């Protein structure tokens, strides 16, 4: 799960997908394309909406997406078009590129909708993001399971 800062959207996506798949079988992680928040805990608003839905993501720590992630993961879900462009810039092969998709394409195939960045908005934005990610993760979990 990849967003810009790895403190708002992608840690939520990580926590949600982890809650829908067995830990023993699936390696699920998140990262940001930027280095701003390396080592930081998720945004308190993401922690709050996760907690409201029974998930604890407070132990997660921000990290930056790296080229080796293409080797460690089969699927790389990005939150918006700018994340997509930044990740694809690091791809070495067409196979790397084929692993990357906008996460909302799981719910709206081919539409290329963004999960809006909630960082500069209020709590309503985080609620909205949670709902979008929960729907997308339902589809992903069903496919992978
Ligand atoms: P995220 O949100 O990409 O969903 O983690 C953001 C977090 C921090 C910043 C931007 C977006 N920032 O500019 O610091």
């Amino acid at each position: 799960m990849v967003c810009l800062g790895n403190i708002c959207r992608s840690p939520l996506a990580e926590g949600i997908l982890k809650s829908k798949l067995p830990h023993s079988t699936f390696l699920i992680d998140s990262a940001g394309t930027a280095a701003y928040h390396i080592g930081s805990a998720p945004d308190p608003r993401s922690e709050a909406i996760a907690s409201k839905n029974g998930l604890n993501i407070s132990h997660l720590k921000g990290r930056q997406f790296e080229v080796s992630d293409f080797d460690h993961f089969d699927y790389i879900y990005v939150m918006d078009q700018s994340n997509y462009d930044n990740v694809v810039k690091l791809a070495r092969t067409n196979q790397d590129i084929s692993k990357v998709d906008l996460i909302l394409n799981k719910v709206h195939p081919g539409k290329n909708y963004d999960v809006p960045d909630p960082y500069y908005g209020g709590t309503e934005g985080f609620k909205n993001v949670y709902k979008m990610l929960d729907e997308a993760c339902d589809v992903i979990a069903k496919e992978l399971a």
Side-chain angles (χ1 to χ4, degrees):
M1 301 298 189
V2 179
C3 63
L4 174 62
N6 193 211
I7 55 166
C8 296
R9 292 165 292 178
S10 60
L12 258 185
E14 176 185 342
I16 293 169
L17 190 60
K18 277 179 170 166
S19 75
K20 296 179 191 289
L21 286 169
H23 288 212
S24 53
T25 322
F26 294 95
L27 173 64
I28 299 162
D29 197 8
S30 65
T33 58
Y36 315 138
H37 299 286
I38 293 173
S40 301
D43 186 287
R45 296 164 296 177
S46 282
E47 288 191 15
I49 192 68
S51 174
K52 251 192 175 165
N53 287 278
L55 302 178
N56 181 2
I57 61 166
S58 62
H59 56 286
L60 300 181
K61 294 265 174 284
R63 74 171 181 95
Q64 191 171 21
F65 182 85
E66 49 194 61
V67 174
S68 62
D69 287 319
F70 287 114
D71 300 321
H72 297 143
F73 296 92
D74 298 311
Y75 302 95
I76 297 168
Y77 293 110
V78 297
M79 301 295 131
D80 65 31
Q81 189 62 48
S82 148
N83 307 149
Y84 183 91
D85 294 343
N86 286 323
V87 168
V88 163
K89 263 185 223 155
L90 298 175
R92 302 152 300 181
T93 60
N94 284 337
Q95 198 203 354
D96 286 352
I97 294 173
S98 72
K99 294 183 173 187
V100 190
D101 198 8
L102 287 157
I103 192 168
L104 291 186
N105 279 342
K106 300 314 289 183
V107 183
H108 308 283
K111 297 281 192 196
N112 294 336
Y113 292 146
D114 289 344
V115 178
D117 186 346
Y119 187 62
Y120 294 105
T123 50
E124 199 57 31
F126 283 78
K127 212 170 140 185
N128 189 31
V129 163
Y130 187 93
K131 189 166 174 284
M132 291 176 175
L133 292 177
D134 192 48
E135 283 173 13
C137 288
D138 264 340
V139 177
I140 294 167
K142 282 198 184 97
E143 279 183 10
L144 293 179

